[in-house]
Amino acid sequence: MQHKTQLTLSFLLSQVLLLACAEDLECTPGFQQKVFYIEQPFEFTEDQPILNLVFDDCKGNNRLNFEVSNPDFKVEHDGSLVALKNVSEAGRALFVHARSEHAEDMAEILIVGANEKHGALKEIFKIEGNLGIPRQKRAILATPILIPENQRSPFPRSVGKVIRSEGTEGAKFRLSGKGVDQDPKGIFRINEISGDVSVTRSLDREAIANYELEVEVTDLSGKVIDGPVRLDISVIDQNDNRPMFKEGPYVGHVMEGSPTGTTVMRMTAFDADDASTDNALLRYNILKQTPTKPSPNMFYIDPEKGDIVTVVSPVLLDRETMETPKYELVIEAKDMGGHDVGLTGTATATIVIDDKNDHPPEFTKKEFQATVKEGVTGVIVNLTVGDRDDPATGAWRAVYTIINGNPGQSFEIHTNPQTNEGMLSVVKPLDYEISAFHTLLIKVENEDPLIPDIAYGPSSTATVQITVEDVNEGPVFHPNPMTVTKQENIPIGSVVLTVNATDPDTLQHQTIRYSVYKDPASWLEINPTNGTVATTAILDRESPHVQNNIYTALFLAIDSGNPPATGTGTLHITLEDVNDNIPSLYPTLAKVCDDAKDLRVVVLGASDKDLHPNTDPFKFELSKQSGPEKLWRINKLNNTHAQVVLLQNLKKANYNIPISVTDSGKPPLTNNTELKLQVCSCKKSRMDCSASDALHISMTLILLSLFSLF
């Protein structure tokens, strides 16, 4: 019943087309019917005829050959379309390409689902919808044209025909659109009288897959009398593009010991042909594996998905036993579903076998020896280990730990990043007299943890025997530095202290002699035998060699070894102050105008090198003034300053004013000095003291003159 329905629909469609083309009784090369309509069955049965196609090249159909877009179907020599196997889903359309010595053409077979069945006849008579024939309200019939890409010469080549059911004398067909009068121009043209559509050159579906043109009918004057009507031209794909791998380089990683079937990576190729046809249906295959050991078939690729998976047992996927941890696979992608006629493309996949920490580090020997001189620091021995894992990973890099024999933290161990060796160092000087031998127990591990079924064994620990060599060490002062407090100005020859130095080399029974090493002021001497330090000069707290009341000297203690060894001791003497410095007065020169209204001449200050209480408060006094009148007085301002005041204006001259200043020490010290006072003439803001230099009057001269009168 179903087959009968299909034949009925095909018959009705053929009648419609015959009516439309009734005016053209000449033989037209190609399919006599270009569009067919069939209903989707539950299943196309193998070798069961579906419909009959009629192709006529008008010259006997020599060497006629049919090609079907779906490889599950074929067309017999008599034009019968049959399925090569039972097919339940064939898509929405089949395209049949026919070629003989003299002509070629394309037919379209449209497949409608069951739910479209009831409206099928109505759609046929409307010549629209899924039939592939545009709905025609006018007299122009423009059925879709299907053209295979990559056609060979000669050109132009007829590819279809536009029919007008109403004949009008002088009417002409006119074709327009992209591919005619729009870029790319000149691909298609139409015979303005017969309506034959031709293509002028080979087409490329990957460049343009569809053309939408318009057909109009004009009169002799060019006026449109019918149309426009849409004319669809579809380019049928040919297998003219090889698969290409565009996303390289392709590098995958898989952990050693991975289970069989572990996915490593996915290879995906691209085919520019029509993805709905076998022209772009790709299948993948491994052409070559390098190296071929331990198995020539280490990997498998899913032919449809392109997934590369491991196919060997985890035991063979052992990085440490492989010739190289890197494999290169030449992958082939073939279109046409992998059939022999398909085009191919290749790419190289690099697969790296990643290391996991399945080998613990092991010392190259159980015991290492080292010798170090006492008092010396630095690396004393390099501990060597072996590890079969990848040197570029934490599964190879070693971490060393001293687990016994280092209570004083005198030793440290670090990893050499280049060699992976353990560099054992002395960080605190060793003492032969305390211990001449040391034994260390050291373990080695990796930065990365071992895998669960692997553990560190006895070979991951080692012993280091260290021998300390005796060295003649210099004597040591006790204490160091040494401190003592003394008054300055103590008598020469006074004992400061007796130093004490001992020789660390207790087993050698050596003698010690002392000497002065640094004595900046040359104030001290030391007894070479018993170490008594005495003064050779007066100690002066105010000396520039004393800093913050402390004088520093260095002494040597030299043993009798061969060669002798030397130790250095530091002595700090804190000097107590004594009132041994008189105060000083400043300034010692003052100037005043002879007509000055302000008779406060100058403010005097006093200073003292000693320390409190041997300094201020200072006492300022004038020596006795003789004569009928007193000329000046001194007023105390504070503990360190006083002011000299004239009692009257003086004539222009130089005067020496005797002043005494006394500190507060016990006993106090006094400094008698003179203040030179210049009385100058002042006019127009200028001070002239030149004439005063010729006259020198002092209280001393005045007293001498008075005595000479008696």
Side-chain angles (χ1 to χ4, degrees):
M1 182 64 184
Q2 179 183 358
H3 182 58
K4 183 177 180 181
T5 301
Q6 294 171 352
L7 293 178
T8 301
L9 294 173
S10 299
F11 172 76
L12 290 172
L13 180 60
S14 65
Q15 294 303 309
V16 172
L17 294 175
L18 288 174
L19 287 173
C21 305
E23 295 180 1
D24 190 0
L25 300 177
E26 295 182 0
C27 177
T28 301
F31 282 106
Q32 302 307 299
Q33 179 178 335
K34 297 183 183 296
V35 181
F36 295 84
Y37 172 91
I38 62 175
E39 183 182 341
Q40 171 71 53
F42 175 75
E43 186 177 71
F44 291 102
T45 306
E46 182 178 358
D47 293 332
Q48 179 68 40
I50 300 171
L51 57 80
N52 190 62
L53 299 99
V54 178
F55 178 88
D56 189 356
D57 67 357
C58 303
K59 292 186 179 181
N61 286 348
N62 291 332
R63 300 179 67 179
L64 176 61
N65 181 52
F66 295 96
E67 293 180 350
V68 184
S69 61
N70 191 321
D72 294 333
F73 298 86
K74 73 174 182 177
V75 177
E76 303 286 4
H77 291 292
D78 62 357
S80 299
L81 176 67
V82 298
L84 296 176
K85 61 181 181 179
N86 294 337
V87 179
S88 59
E89 178 58 49
R92 298 287 293 170
L94 299 175
F95 300 99
V96 179
H97 178 228
R99 176 182 290 174
S100 69
E101 286 185 346
H102 303 288
E104 64 176 315
D105 200 3
M106 184 75 70
E108 180 181 13
I109 302 167
L110 301 172
I111 303 172
V112 177
N115 59 346
E116 302 173 277
K117 175 179 179 181
H118 298 293
L121 290 177
K122 180 179 179 181
E123 294 298 320
I124 291 172
F125 286 113
K126 286 184 178 179
I127 317 178
E128 63 180 5
N130 290 330
L131 295 179
I133 305 174
R135 181 174 182 174
Q136 302 291 327
K137 291 185 178 180
R138 297 184 177 89
I140 301 174
L141 179 64
T143 61
I145 298 174
L146 307 175
I147 307 174
E149 65 173 334
N150 303 325
Q151 287 181 312
R152 298 188 296 271
S153 298
F155 292 102
R157 180 189 293 267
S158 178
V159 293
K161 188 171 185 177
V162 177
I163 300 172
R164 186 168 183 264
S165 58
E166 299 176 0
T168 302
E169 187 175 351
K172 296 181 180 181
F173 290 101
R174 184 166 65 191
L175 190 63
S176 62
K178 182 179 179 180
V180 181
D181 55 356
Q182 300 175 20
D183 289 332
K185 297 179 180 179
I187 297 179
F188 304 102
R189 62 191 184 191
I190 191 170
N191 187 302
E192 61 183 17
I193 304 301
S194 66
D196 285 327
V197 179
S198 58
V199 64
T200 62
R201 56 181 181 264
S202 178
L203 302 180
D204 182 1
R205 188 200 69 85
E206 287 70 42
I208 302 177
N210 297 284
Y211 296 86
E212 295 181 3
L213 308 180
E214 288 186 345
V215 181
E216 299 173 323
V217 176
T218 66
D219 59 16
L220 291 176
S221 66
K223 180 181 179 181
V224 177
I225 59 176
D226 203 356
V229 173
R230 179 171 146 180
L231 173 61
D232 289 327
I233 298 179
S234 298
V235 183
I236 305 304
D237 186 44
Q238 302 291 316
N239 192 20
D240 59 344
N241 288 280
R242 293 183 178 275
M244 296 178 61
F245 291 91
K246 293 185 174 182
E247 300 176 357
Y250 297 91
V251 180
H253 293 261
V254 62
M255 190 69 70
E256 64 172 330
S258 295
T260 303
T262 299
T263 300
V264 181
M265 60 189 300
R266 172 171 287 188
M267 298 285 288
T268 303
F270 169 78
D271 196 311
D273 290 320
D274 189 350
S276 65
T277 69
D278 284 358
N279 295 337
L281 183 61
L282 304 183
R283 294 293 181 264
Y284 299 94
N285 181 41
I286 298 176
L287 296 181
K288 183 181 179 182
Q289 171 190 302
T290 305
T292 59
K293 294 179 180 180
S295 169
N297 299 303
M298 299 283 290
F299 307 95
Y300 165 79
I301 188 168
D302 186 302
E304 296 183 4
K305 297 180 180 179
D307 289 339
I308 299 176
V309 299
T310 62
V311 294
V312 295
S313 68
V315 176
L316 290 181
L317 207 62
D318 184 359
R319 184 185 177 282
E320 285 73 36
T321 61
M322 290 178 173
E323 179 180 320
T324 173
K326 183 184 294 184
Y327 287 84
E328 290 189 349
L329 306 180
V330 179
I331 306 298
E332 176 191 68
K334 181 182 287 188
D335 60 22
M336 297 303 293
H339 292 298
D340 292 341
V341 295
L343 301 178
T344 62
T346 60
T348 299
T350 301
I351 298 178
V352 179
I353 312 301
D354 290 332
D355 187 39
K356 62 181 179 181
N357 198 8
D358 55 351
H359 295 89
E362 296 180 346
F363 283 102
T364 57
K365 52 186 178 181
K366 290 299 296 180
E367 185 173 293
F368 295 84
Q369 303 289 333
T371 301
V372 60
K373 293 182 178 181
E374 65 172 332
V376 175
T377 60
V379 177
I380 59 174
V381 65
N382 290 315
L383 310 184
T384 54
V385 296
D387 195 316
R388 297 170 62 190
D389 291 313
D390 185 359
T393 66
W396 176 81
R397 292 190 289 270
V399 178
Y400 297 87
T401 306
I402 302 173
I403 58 177
N404 196 15
N406 191 27
Q409 304 301 308
S410 299
F411 303 93
E412 286 183 0
I413 188 166
H414 300 281
T415 305
N416 185 317
Q418 281 73 41
T419 64
N420 217 30
E421 295 177 348
M423 301 182 295
L424 181 63
S425 303
V426 176
V427 294
K428 293 182 180 180
L430 304 177
D431 191 339
Y432 171 84
E433 283 71 29
I434 295 176
S435 178
F437 299 96
H438 297 267
T439 301
L440 303 181
L441 185 61
I442 297 177
K443 72 174 181 179
V444 61
E445 297 175 332
N446 288 130
E447 286 185 3
D448 293 347
L450 295 173
I451 61 175
D453 53 342
I454 301 295
Y456 293 103
S459 296
S460 295
T461 58
T463 301
V464 181
Q465 299 291 349
I466 302 169
T467 301
V468 182
E469 294 182 344
D470 189 23
V471 174
N472 185 23
E473 301 171 85
V476 178
F477 283 87
H478 304 282
N480 195 14
M482 301 162 281
T483 60
V484 66
T485 300
K486 295 292 180 180
Q487 275 194 345
E488 64 175 332
N489 299 335
I490 60 175
I492 296 175
S494 299
V495 173
V496 178
L497 86 165
T498 299
V499 301
N500 178 34
T502 59
D503 193 337
D505 301 308
T506 56
L507 302 179
Q508 298 184 23
H509 305 291
Q510 299 181 120
T511 59
I512 297 176
R513 293 183 63 82
Y514 300 96
S515 65
V516 176
Y517 180 39
K518 288 185 178 180
D519 180 13
S522 300
W523 288 343
L524 305 173
E525 65 180 358
I526 188 170
N527 186 300
T529 304
N530 61 23
T532 298
V533 178
T535 62
T536 60
I538 297 298
L539 305 183
D540 183 6
R541 190 198 64 82
E542 292 75 30
S543 167
H545 299 293
V546 176
Q547 302 295 325
N548 297 322
N549 303 324
I550 296 175
Y551 180 72
T552 301
L554 302 180
F555 298 92
L556 298 179
I558 307 168
D559 66 20
S560 57
N562 187 19
T566 301
T568 302
T570 301
L571 171 62
H572 294 311
I573 304 175
T574 300
L575 295 176
E576 295 179 340
D577 187 42
V578 173
N579 192 17
D580 57 349
N581 290 278
I582 62 174
S584 59
L585 190 70
Y586 61 90
T588 58
L589 174 65
K591 295 180 181 182
V592 66
C593 293
D594 55 4
D595 58 352
K597 295 181 180 180
D598 186 358
L599 300 181
R600 291 174 294 182
V601 177
V602 67
V603 174
L604 300 178
S607 63
D608 196 315
K609 294 182 180 179
D610 293 319
L611 296 178
H612 190 78
N614 296 321
T615 57
D616 62 272
F618 297 107
K619 182 180 179 181
F620 297 90
E621 293 179 306
L622 289 173
S623 298
K624 282 187 177 184
Q625 300 182 55
S626 300
E629 297 182 11
K630 293 185 178 181
L631 301 180
W632 39 70
R633 74 168 180 267
I634 189 166
N635 298 332
K636 182 178 180 180
L637 298 179
N638 53 35
N639 289 343
T640 57
H641 291 80
Q643 189 172 53
V644 176
V645 181
L646 291 180
L647 298 180
Q648 61 185 21
N649 288 108
L650 299 179
K651 293 182 179 180
K652 184 178 180 181
N654 288 337
Y655 300 87
N656 290 327
I657 305 174
I659 297 174
S660 66
V661 56
T662 304
D663 63 25
S664 297
K666 293 183 179 180
L669 296 180
T670 299
N671 179 17
N672 294 306
T673 185
E674 288 184 342
L675 170 65
K676 181 179 181 180
L677 177 63
Q678 290 183 329
V679 179
C680 309
S681 62
C682 300
K683 295 179 180 179
K684 297 181 180 180
S685 301
R686 293 184 61 184
M687 179 178 283
D688 182 11
C689 302
S690 58
S692 62
D693 293 337
L695 181 63
H696 301 279
I697 300 176
S698 68
M699 290 302 299
T700 305
L701 291 176
I702 293 174
L703 291 174
L704 291 175
S705 299
L706 292 174
F707 282 123
S708 63
L709 296 175
F710 294 98

